[in-house]
């Protein structure tokens, strides 16, 4: 049906589509081709966003390279004919002609077809939260930027883009800011050095400004109309404004050239108007002057930003502590000599010497020595770990009293510590839904304030007041209305919340989870490796085959050797402990949460659950009585079939995590329902669930069933958190409102999770939910203060009840108060 003509129902009605063709149609699914959107990623994504806002459209998947869209819809809410009309209308608006903004862009053909990359980069020279919002808008407008989020508190930007870093840095520099790489810990340390220098410079600037401003204030207090004294005021005030406000005026000018405005624009307008209005007084001494007000505005803004910087430094102290865990130097062993090198010079396979009390400078493996290592700051584990040859070492951990030699296995941005910091960066750069709403308000707030200031000036003139009085009130409106407190309300709390989470061993991959987790009402636990330790021991072997126990165990271990499942590894360990050799297998196939299939010599083996055996039509009747008895003891069962006949039954036990029952009780007290979802049998699952206090058990669940359960719960209105550890949990983790995984889980499970719980501690799930609730509470307090401040202060300024100096001081303190309030999260335990 590439011509776009389709037949509708029994009425044989022909519906013609003008701007797309229909590639495939099902009852609730439609795939179309839009020629005008081919290779146009930006407008394809715009179309996806517009369609998702329509009632009845459930999902839209796009393939911009060929201009393809697949739409899943509800025919009852959006009949098919209506959907076609909708598509034609929307595509007509965005798909036929490029937007004007795209006409002049020269796209780089060398990168347009490459996969998008997700960067976290440092951003310097931002003076307030409005700078972050402005820069974010500039980045979002780039056709090769899919998503951008800029965080003023952490001075970072998270950008998903097809552009290389150097082009991102150029865009940022062209708009008056500085972009730089923060991939390695060494680069992060340089960023902290820049922050310290910036603070020191700001402090010196305040001292210089005070020397210029105090004489201006004193001369103003004298009230003399002497032309000489007025000239001295003008010169000193001009020096203060140029010295302290140079960056403010520069950014305001750059934004004005682009037709934009933010906080610096308001300050520049206020200061500029006050100073320029006062200049004629040098020739007409009877005229009122605002030299003191102009300098006071600059002074208060500068002091306010300095206080903001101090508060910001406290807000980022947790991530700074993480970065500073890595030592500056390391001892390299080479050709029998000890060489001192910088940590960033370490290479893979370098042999390093770690003396007592030193920090581990890279990830690695112990090759010689015995010592205890404190990993508390990295993994959250309070107990030192004993390390000997073969054990892993993590960058940033502290060696105890022994001497270790280690081989470096990961350096730079690839270390475990760097990965944790990158997760924190991603979380802090994420936008919460509530913040997106605030940003929408803030984006129109500044232009509205400028209009309101002009109206205030005109209104007072019409009321018969002098120009000086009207101007004073207009300037007060500009200054008191600064949206910085509004812009800081959410990122400040998010910054402190994610830092506090990291301190507790909870690493957040997606910052939005801080908002979502507060509404969780149902938590689903995987059993194996989550509620239990995931370290199984084989306790029973029931053999009904023609092979003796040793040969049968050797076959089973050889088949399971390539499996990552903890039960398979338990069988392998059980065989190796008995001195058996592993034979080569072929035709290995793994079905997550069900079992494996492999060929060993002439024998075809199946190992797995009873569902796996039933799927292959294996008769388990000879094993039924024994399996029931072992399952009632809470043991996990693995069936073995050889050449399509039941051959044996393995039984394994797995230790329940020490704090599992306490976690479940804590969640119940908080009004949160708990479920256990597992691929194990009903009997084995019930045995474990009763010990930890979980009532609802969903057993014999493969990945598809776990996924279906979560979707069912979400469709019924529940907010669901899923906690797991394995490959089989990845689909369910991705589908949950909030997903948590323990750090000992598989890489694919960790990639699908929102939060990573270090040290295998599921007790941290209660901490994560509590921290989420506290963070959301602080965000609401901040927003209430920010909105309330403007709602109360603006009418006073319009009514002429605030002078510009007081307005600028109040504006500065409002931003500081939001950060200080956010820091209270550090006191909540």
């Amino acid at each position: 049906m590439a011509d776009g003509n389709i037949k509708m129902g029994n009425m044989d009605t022909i519906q013609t589509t003008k701007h797309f063709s229909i590639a495939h149609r099902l009852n609730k699914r439609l795939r179309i081709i839009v020629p005008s959107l081919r290779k146009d990623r930006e407008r394809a994504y715009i179309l996806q966003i517009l369609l998702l806002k329509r009632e009845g459209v459930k999902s839209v998947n796009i393939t911009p390279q060929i201009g393809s869209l697949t739409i899943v819809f509800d025919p009852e809410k959006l009949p098919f004919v209506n959907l076609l009309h909708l598509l034609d209308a929307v595509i007509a608006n965005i798909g036929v002609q490029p937007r004007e903004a795209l006409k002049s862009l020269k796209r780089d053909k060398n990168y347009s077809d490459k996969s998008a990359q997700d960067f976290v980069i440092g951003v310097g020279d931002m003076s307030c939260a409005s700078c972050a919002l402005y820069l974010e808008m500039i980045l979002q407008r780039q056709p090769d930027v899919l998503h951008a989020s800029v965080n003023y508190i952490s001075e970072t930007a998270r950008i998903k883009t097809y552009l290389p870093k150097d082009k991102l840095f150029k865009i940022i520099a062209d708009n008056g800011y500085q972009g730089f790489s923060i991939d390695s810990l060494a680069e992060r340390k340089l960023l902290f050095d820049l922050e310290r220098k910036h603070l020191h410079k700001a402090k010196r600037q305040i001292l210089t400004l005070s020397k210029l401003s105090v004489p201006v204030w004193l001369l103003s207090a004298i009230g003399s109309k002497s032309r000489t004294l007025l000239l001295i005021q003008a010169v000193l005030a001009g020096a203060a404004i140029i010295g302290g406000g140079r960056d403010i005026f520069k950014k305001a000018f750059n934004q004005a050239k682009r037709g934009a405005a933010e906080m610096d624009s308001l300050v520049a307008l206020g200061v500029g108007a006050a100073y320029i209005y006062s200049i004629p007084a040098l020739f007409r001494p009877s005229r009122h002057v605002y030299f003191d007000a102009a300098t006071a505005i600059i002074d208060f803004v500068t002091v306010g930003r300095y206080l903001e910087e101090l508060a910001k430094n406290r807000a980022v102290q947790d991530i700074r502590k993480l970065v500073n865990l890595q030592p500056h130097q390391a001892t390299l062993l080479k050709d029998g000599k000890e060489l001192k090198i910088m940590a960033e010079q370490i290479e893979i396979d370098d042999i390093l010497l770690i003396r007592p009390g030193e920090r581990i400078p890279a990830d690695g493996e112990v090759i010689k020595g015995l010592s205890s290592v404190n990993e508390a700051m990295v993994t959250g584990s309070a107990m030192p770990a004993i390390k000997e040859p073969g054990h892993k070492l993590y960058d940033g951990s502290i060696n105890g009293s022994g001497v270790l030699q280690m081989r470096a296995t990961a350096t730079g941005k690839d270390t475990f510590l760097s990965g944790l910091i990158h997760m924190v960066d991603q979380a802090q750069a994420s936008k919460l839904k509530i913040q997106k709403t605030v940003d929408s308000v803030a984006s129109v707030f500044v232009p509205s304030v400028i209009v309101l200031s002009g109206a205030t000036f005109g209104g007072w003139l019409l009321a018969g007041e002098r120009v000086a009085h009207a101007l004073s009130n207009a300037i007060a409106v500009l200054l008191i209305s600064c949206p910085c407190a509004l812009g800081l309300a959410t990122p400040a709390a998010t910054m402190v919340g994610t830092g506090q989470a990291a301190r507790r061993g909870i690493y957040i991959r997606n910052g939005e989870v801080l908002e979502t987790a507060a509404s969780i009402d149902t938590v689903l636990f995987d059993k194996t490796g989550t509620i239990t330790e995931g370290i199984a021991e084989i306790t029973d072997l029931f053999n009904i085959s023609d092979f003796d126990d040793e040969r049968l165990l050797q076959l089973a271990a050889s088949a399971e050797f390539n499996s990552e499942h903890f039960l398979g590894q338990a069988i392998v360990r059980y065989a190796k402990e008995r001195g058996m050799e592993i034979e080569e297998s072929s035709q290995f196939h793994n079905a997550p949460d069900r079992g494996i299939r492999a060929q060993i010599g002439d024998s075809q083996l199946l190992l797995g659950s009873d569902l796996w055996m039933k799927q292959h039509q294996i008769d388990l009747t000879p094993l039924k009585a024994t399996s029931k008895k072992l399952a009632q003891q809470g043991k996990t069962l693995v069936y073995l079939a050889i050449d399509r006949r039941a051959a044996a039954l393995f039984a394994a036990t797995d230790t329940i995590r020490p704090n599992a029952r306490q976690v479940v009780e804590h969640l119940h007290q908080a009004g949160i329902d708990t479920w256990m979802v597992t691929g194990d049998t009903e009997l084995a699952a019930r045995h474990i669930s009763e010990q930890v206090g979980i009532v609802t058990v969903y057993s014999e669940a493969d990945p598809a069933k776990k996924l279906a359960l979560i979707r069912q719960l979400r469709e019924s209105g529940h907010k669901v958190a899923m906690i797991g550890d394995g490959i089989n949990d990845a689909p369910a983790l991705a589908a949950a409102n909030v997903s948590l995984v323990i750090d000992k889980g598989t890489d694919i499970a960790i990639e699908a999770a929102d939060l990573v719980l270090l040290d295998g501690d599921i007790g941290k799930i209660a901490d994560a939910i509590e921290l989420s609730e506290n963070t959301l509470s602080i965000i609401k307090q901040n927003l209430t203060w920010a909105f309330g401040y403007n709602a109360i202060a603006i009418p006073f300024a319009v009514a002429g009840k605030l002078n510009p100096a007081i307005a600028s001081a109040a504006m500065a303190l409002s931003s500081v108060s939001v950060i200080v309030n956010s820091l209270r999260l550090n006191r909540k335990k």
Side-chain angles (χ1 to χ4, degrees):
M1 296 185 184
D3 60 358
N5 297 327
I6 60 171
K7 186 174 286 186
M8 296 297 300
N10 297 323
M11 299 177 65
D12 293 339
T13 302
I14 300 296
Q15 171 70 43
T16 302
T17 59
K18 296 179 180 179
H19 301 106
F20 63 91
S21 60
I22 297 172
H24 186 259
R25 180 208 167 184
L26 295 174
N27 186 38
K28 298 181 179 180
R29 185 174 175 272
L30 174 69
R31 188 168 81 86
I32 65 173
I33 301 296
V34 186
S36 61
L37 296 185
R38 187 174 288 121
K39 294 187 178 181
D40 194 332
R41 294 178 182 275
E42 182 178 33
R43 282 184 292 150
Y45 281 111
I46 290 171
L47 177 58
Q48 180 187 39
I49 292 167
L50 291 174
L51 291 176
L52 287 172
K53 292 181 177 180
R54 304 291 177 140
E55 186 178 9
V57 176
K58 292 186 174 180
S59 66
V60 179
N61 293 319
I62 62 173
T63 309
Q65 191 64 23
I66 60 173
S68 169
L69 281 85
T70 302
I71 302 123
V72 178
F73 63 100
D74 184 344
E76 294 183 3
K77 295 181 179 178
L78 183 62
F80 184 67
V81 174
N82 294 7
L83 174 61
L84 294 183
H85 287 306
L86 169 65
L87 288 169
D88 243 353
V90 176
I91 293 170
N93 288 329
I94 69 166
V96 179
Q97 295 294 331
R99 292 190 297 113
E100 289 297 317
L102 296 178
K103 286 184 178 179
S104 61
L105 287 175
K106 298 178 180 178
R107 296 174 60 94
D108 188 340
K109 302 296 184 183
N110 294 323
Y111 61 76
S112 60
D113 293 333
K114 292 181 181 179
S115 298
Q117 298 184 74
D118 201 344
F119 293 121
V120 176
I121 62 176
V123 180
D125 296 332
M126 291 191 293
S127 56
C128 67
S130 293
C131 292
L133 178 59
Y134 168 73
L135 183 57
E136 186 175 297
M137 291 169 62
I138 292 295
L139 290 168
Q140 291 277 31
R141 289 174 183 169
Q142 303 301 314
D144 290 292
V145 172
L146 303 180
H147 172 76
S149 178
V150 183
N151 189 313
Y152 167 62
I153 302 291
S154 62
E155 296 185 332
T156 59
R158 183 180 182 183
I159 308 168
K160 188 171 185 180
T161 179
Y162 299 100
L163 294 169
K165 272 188 182 179
D166 59 338
K167 295 203 172 184
L168 290 176
F169 294 159
K170 186 177 185 307
I171 292 169
I172 293 170
D174 288 345
N175 285 277
Y177 305 97
Q178 180 188 2
F180 42 86
S181 177
I182 54 171
D183 290 337
S184 70
L185 297 184
E187 289 172 332
R188 293 302 295 259
K189 289 175 182 176
L190 286 175
L191 173 61
F192 295 147
D193 288 339
L194 286 174
E195 288 176 358
R196 281 193 291 270
K197 290 177 181 177
H198 182 67
L199 267 176
H200 186 62
K201 178 183 175 183
K203 189 175 181 179
R204 287 202 319 268
Q205 189 178 44
I206 290 172
L207 293 174
T208 303
L209 280 175
S210 65
K211 294 175 183 177
L212 295 170
S213 301
V214 170
V216 175
W217 298 342
L218 291 175
L219 290 172
S220 177
I222 293 172
S224 172
K225 296 297 182 178
S226 164
R227 189 166 295 174
T228 302
L229 294 180
L230 287 175
L231 180 60
I232 293 172
Q233 285 188 63
V235 171
L236 292 176
I241 291 169
I242 293 171
R246 185 188 301 110
D247 291 339
I248 292 173
F249 282 95
K250 181 180 177 181
K251 288 175 184 175
F253 179 70
N254 288 335
Q255 288 149 13
K257 286 194 299 183
R258 293 173 175 81
E262 44 98 327
M263 187 265 188
D264 285 323
S265 306
L266 299 183
V267 175
L269 279 172
V271 174
Y275 189 81
I276 292 170
Y277 177 82
S278 303
I279 292 297
L282 297 176
F283 310 99
R284 291 170 52 195
S286 60
R287 187 183 180 97
H288 191 77
V289 295
Y290 287 102
F291 293 127
D292 58 335
T295 55
I297 292 167
I298 290 294
D299 292 343
F300 283 127
V301 169
T302 304
V303 171
R305 288 181 176 178
Y306 176 69
L307 294 175
E308 257 185 50
E309 287 294 327
L310 289 176
K312 275 172 56 184
N313 269 267
R314 288 191 60 196
V316 300
Q317 64 183 351
D318 289 315
I319 193 168
R320 184 181 287 108
K321 287 177 182 176
L322 279 176
V323 172
N324 289 332
L325 287 179
Q326 188 190 57
H328 291 283
Q329 292 186 321
T331 304
L332 174 69
L333 296 178
K334 190 172 184 178
D335 300 328
K337 297 180 180 179
E338 294 183 14
L339 303 173
K340 286 290 183 182
I341 62 172
M342 301 302 293
E344 55 266 29
Q345 295 177 310
I346 299 171
E347 297 180 357
I348 303 296
D349 290 331
D350 277 351
I351 306 302
L352 305 172
L353 178 68
I354 315 297
R355 291 188 170 86
E358 290 184 342
R359 288 193 182 274
I360 312 298
D363 286 0
E365 181 181 328
V366 178
I367 59 173
K368 185 178 180 181
L370 175 66
S371 184
S372 63
V373 174
N374 184 350
E375 300 175 336
M377 281 298 293
V378 181
T379 67
S381 174
M383 295 296 293
I386 301 299
K387 301 292 183 178
E388 55 187 352
H391 286 182
K392 289 183 179 180
L393 293 172
Y394 294 118
D395 186 11
S397 303
I398 302 174
N399 187 27
S401 58
V403 177
L404 296 174
Q405 289 185 21
M406 63 172 281
R407 176 181 290 107
T409 57
T411 63
K413 65 180 182 180
D414 298 320
T415 67
F416 181 72
L417 179 60
S418 291
L420 296 180
I421 292 169
H422 182 65
M423 272 193 271
V424 175
D425 283 336
Q426 287 181 314
Q428 292 176 344
S430 299
K431 285 279 185 182
L432 277 63
K433 291 179 182 177
I434 195 170
Q435 177 65 23
K436 292 173 183 176
T437 303
V438 172
D439 286 350
S440 299
V441 174
S443 64
V444 298
F445 192 80
V446 173
S448 301
V449 167
I450 293 173
V451 172
L452 178 62
S453 177
T456 301
F457 180 74
W460 280 104
L461 287 180
L462 290 174
E465 289 291 340
R466 295 172 58 195
V467 174
H469 185 72
L471 180 63
S472 176
N473 295 338
I475 293 172
V477 170
L478 287 175
L479 298 173
I480 203 68
S481 305
C482 170
C484 274
L486 199 61
L488 288 170
T490 301
T494 304
M495 188 82 185
V496 180
T498 50
Q500 179 66 215
R503 186 188 300 176
R504 300 188 192 187
I506 305 166
Y507 284 85
I508 302 173
R509 295 176 58 86
N510 175 9
E512 292 182 15
V513 76
L514 278 172
E515 186 174 18
T516 310
S519 61
I520 291 299
D521 57 39
T522 306
V523 175
L524 273 56
F525 290 90
D526 173 51
K527 179 179 78 73
T528 305
T530 303
I531 289 179
T532 63
E533 296 281 2
I535 305 174
E537 293 184 4
I538 302 298
T539 58
D540 300 270
L541 169 58
F542 184 59
N543 185 357
I544 60 170
S545 71
D546 296 331
F547 296 98
D548 60 35
D549 286 357
E550 287 192 2
R551 179 55 184 163
L552 181 128
L553 179 57
Q554 186 179 32
L555 288 171
S558 299
E560 289 282 13
F561 186 71
N562 293 320
S563 171
E564 97 296 336
H565 197 277
F566 88 112
L567 290 173
Q569 291 303 305
I571 292 173
V572 173
R573 286 196 305 273
Y574 190 65
K576 285 185 174 181
E577 286 168 0
R578 283 152 184 76
M580 296 177 186
E581 293 185 3
I582 301 298
E583 297 182 6
E584 186 176 347
S585 65
S586 61
Q587 301 178 29
F588 179 83
H589 172 72
N590 176 46
D593 244 10
R594 286 182 176 263
I596 61 110
R597 180 178 64 243
Q599 187 81 21
I600 309 293
D602 295 331
S603 301
Q604 186 188 65
L605 277 73
L606 293 168
L607 286 105
S609 66
D610 58 342
L611 291 175
W612 182 241
M613 296 298 155
K614 289 173 185 176
Q615 182 178 328
H616 290 84
Q617 299 178 341
I618 306 298
D619 182 11
L620 298 178
T621 304
L623 298 171
K624 186 172 290 186
T626 304
S627 65
K628 184 176 181 180
K629 178 183 175 183
L630 292 171
Q632 287 174 336
Q633 298 172 18
K635 295 181 179 180
T636 301
L637 308 179
V638 179
Y639 294 90
L640 169 63
I642 301 177
D643 297 328
R644 305 195 65 79
R645 291 181 58 189
L649 176 65
F650 292 90
T653 59
D654 188 10
T655 306
I656 295 174
R657 293 189 185 275
N659 59 345
R661 186 174 186 86
Q662 182 182 353
V663 172
V664 172
E665 289 177 352
H666 185 96
L667 292 173
H668 288 171
Q669 290 170 4
I672 298 173
D673 194 17
T674 58
W675 291 49
M676 178 191 288
V677 289
T678 176
D680 215 336
T681 63
E682 174 77 13
L683 285 172
R686 283 288 175 193
H687 182 81
I688 300 297
S689 70
E690 288 171 1
Q691 294 185 62
V692 298
I694 294 177
V695 177
T696 308
V697 175
Y698 192 70
S699 59
E700 299 181 354
D702 61 13
K705 288 183 178 179
K706 291 180 181 179
L707 179 60
L709 173 62
I710 287 180
R711 285 178 173 169
Q712 180 183 341
L713 287 169
R714 290 192 63 175
E715 286 173 3
S716 63
H718 290 283
K719 300 293 184 182
V720 182
M722 170 75 189
I723 176 168
D725 74 312
I727 291 176
N728 56 309
D729 297 319
L733 289 167
N737 295 95
V738 175
S739 52
L740 306 96
V741 65
I742 60 173
D743 64 313
K744 295 177 173 61
T746 58
D747 290 343
I748 192 169
I750 291 175
E751 285 299 316
D754 297 314
L755 298 101
V756 179
L757 311 181
L758 296 190
D759 198 33
D761 184 2
I762 62 170
K764 292 187 172 81
I765 185 174
D767 287 345
I769 292 174
E770 181 183 7
L771 185 59
S772 171
E773 292 171 346
N774 290 338
T775 302
L776 193 59
S777 175
I778 291 291
I779 288 172
K780 290 177 179 177
Q781 290 172 21
N782 287 348
L783 289 174
T784 299
W785 160 248
F787 278 114
Y789 160 81
N790 282 299
I792 294 169
I794 291 175
F796 273 92
V798 172
K801 302 298 183 183
L802 285 174
N803 91 20
I806 294 175
S808 60
M811 173 267 291
L813 290 175
S814 69
S815 298
V816 175
S817 67
V818 164
I819 301 178
V820 171
N821 187 52
S822 299
L823 288 169
R824 292 196 305 115
L825 279 168
N826 285 328
R827 298 200 296 270
K828 293 178 180 287
K829 301 298 181 183

